[in-house]
Amino acid sequence: MNLDETLKVITEEIANMISTKTVVGEHIVIEGRTIIPVTKVSFGFGSGGGEGKGKAGDQGTGGGGGGGACVQPIAFLVVSKEDVQLFAIKEKGVIERISAVIPEILEKCKSMKEECKKEE
């Protein structure tokens, strides 16, 4: 595989990994509210190649490449009949951020549910 083909394969594979569903995740419906995860996607790739002649006059070529991606949750969008709210995940570890935001979202859902019951 030559360098152009290598680059093409790498970029196609990265394009397959990255889509709008990667950035704006699958929604979850809880008690009439839709929760949509929002992520930050970073990716990169590199490649290289070369050719040369040996002392015996034989020629050789070589090439290679690689790529990678990082998907990081940054916020949750909560949509209800009344409003739309964005809950950002602060600068902690990913697990700490998610565990800090989910109780807040559930508490808001619970209080909004109680308000709806009072109105009925």
Side-chain angles (χ1 to χ4, degrees), residues 12-25:
E12 286 174 355
E13 288 302 317
I14 290 174
N16 288 337
M17 291 187 318
I18 310 299
S19 72
T20 55
K21 284 188 177 181
T22 306
V23 177
V24 179

Side-chain angles (χ1 to χ4, degrees), residues 14 17-18 41-45 68-70:
I14 290 174
M17 291 187 318
I18 310 299
V41 178
S42 305
F43 64 93
F45 65 93
C70 175

Side-chain angles (χ1 to χ4, degrees), residues 26-47:
E26 292 291 325
H27 70 280
I28 302 165
V29 178
I30 299 175
E31 297 182 2
R33 282 150 189 82
T34 304
I35 301 171
I36 305 167
V38 180
T39 61
K40 174 178 138 181
V41 178
S42 305
F43 64 93
F45 65 93
S47 67

Side-chain angles (χ1 to χ4, degrees), residues 24-38 76-87 105 109 112:
V24 179
E26 292 291 325
H27 70 280
I28 302 165
V29 178
I30 299 175
E31 297 182 2
R33 282 150 189 82
T34 304
I35 301 171
I36 305 167
V38 180
F76 291 93
L77 192 61
V78 179
V79 181
S80 67
K81 287 190 284 185
E82 296 81 24
D83 65 354
V84 176
Q85 294 178 307
L86 181 68
F87 295 94
I105 291 171
C109 290
M112 293 175 91

